[in-house]
Every structure is written in C-alpha cells, then in structure tokens.
Amino acid sequence: MARERPEIGEEARLEVTVDREMLVDVLGRRIHPVYATAWMVKHMEDAGRLVVEPHLRPDEDATGYTISVTHERPATVGDRLEVVATVTRIDERECETKVEVRGPAGRVGTGTLVQRYIETGRFDGRRPS
C-alpha cells in the first residue's frame, strides 16, 4: 500500500507559554531564569510530530532520527512562543522539517529535525496484528 506523505512546504504550528518548569535547570540547580534549550528541543520535536502524524498508516509510526538546534535568544516566564515545523524534504523513509521558535522579541531558535518512519511497536514490543 502506498503511503501518504506530507508535502514540501506543509506546516504544523504549536503554541506554548514559558513557565517555571521550562527554565534552565542543570542537575537540579536553576542556572538561568530563561527558557531551556532542552525544552526548545522538545517543542521542536512536538511540532515535527504534528506534521507527520496525520499521514501515518495504522501500522506505522515515526521517531526522531536527527535534530540540530541553534538557540538564538532568551525567552522568559510568561512569553508566548510559536513553534513552526515546515517540511523541507520527504521520501519513503524519512521526513525533514525546518523548525523555528518565535517569541515576543523575535526568533528564539531554529533547527532541523529528521524523523524516520518505523513499524508500529518497534521499540515497545507491540506489533500490528
């Protein structure tokens, strides 16, 4: 069965508001009172997932394969951020998206996320029946 795939230029958007849990915390210590890169990566992956998920067959899933991120400026508690994932490359094996995070002061970060298509349950022991 041929798989439906996202198209080049297709986008998904995610809105988040920075809260205290999303601030930089290293080994249980608050280092800086700003949006942590680790949280930005999570939000980029979430937006990327929103692009591929509507196109998955019942017996397939997708998983993060590579991500590169540049954290360009800080965001603080209360800032509303928009995370946009845009498909830049697609084939039968993977989907690449350019991801951008924007806040009130402008671009917070950019990145590239590649997700690979896999069989449902590949990592958790479930297999389609």
Side-chain angles (χ1 to χ4, degrees):
M1 171 193 281
R3 296 187 274 193
E4 179 184 341
R5 291 291 180 239
E7 295 183 11
I8 302 290
E10 188 170 333
E11 291 183 349
R13 295 173 183 274
L14 175 69
E15 289 189 8
V16 297
T17 300
V18 177
D19 63 30
R20 294 194 55 73
E21 181 183 1
M22 297 175 194
L23 301 182
V24 177
D25 182 306
V26 177
L27 302 172
R29 294 176 289 139
R30 179 66 30 92
I31 302 298
H32 307 294
V34 295
Y35 182 54
T37 304
W39 277 94
M40 185 168 65
V41 168
K42 180 202 180 320
H43 294 140
M44 288 178 164
E45 286 194 291
D46 290 348
R49 176 66 183 206
L50 292 173
V51 171
V52 299
E53 200 164 58
H55 301 282
L56 297 174
R57 293 187 323 230
D59 65 341
E60 84 178 334
D61 204 341
T63 187
Y65 179 64
T66 63
I67 189 164
S68 63
V69 173
T70 302
H71 198 152
E72 299 179 37
R73 79 168 22 100
T76 57
V77 171
D79 283 353
R80 292 183 54 89
L81 306 178
E82 181 180 46
V83 186
V84 180
T86 306
V87 177
T88 56
R89 184 176 57 80
I90 187 79
D91 61 32
E92 281 301 304
R93 189 171 185 197
E94 59 190 29
C95 178
E96 179 182 278
T97 53
K98 172 187 159 200
V99 190
E100 185 172 89
V101 180
R102 293 201 156 274
R107 192 165 63 197
V108 175
T110 59
T112 301
L113 169 66
V114 176
Q115 297 173 84
R116 285 244 168 119
Y117 296 105
I118 62 171
E119 182 181 6
T120 298
R122 178 172 176 185
F123 298 130
D124 62 8
R126 291 181 297 129
R127 296 284 191 230
S129 43

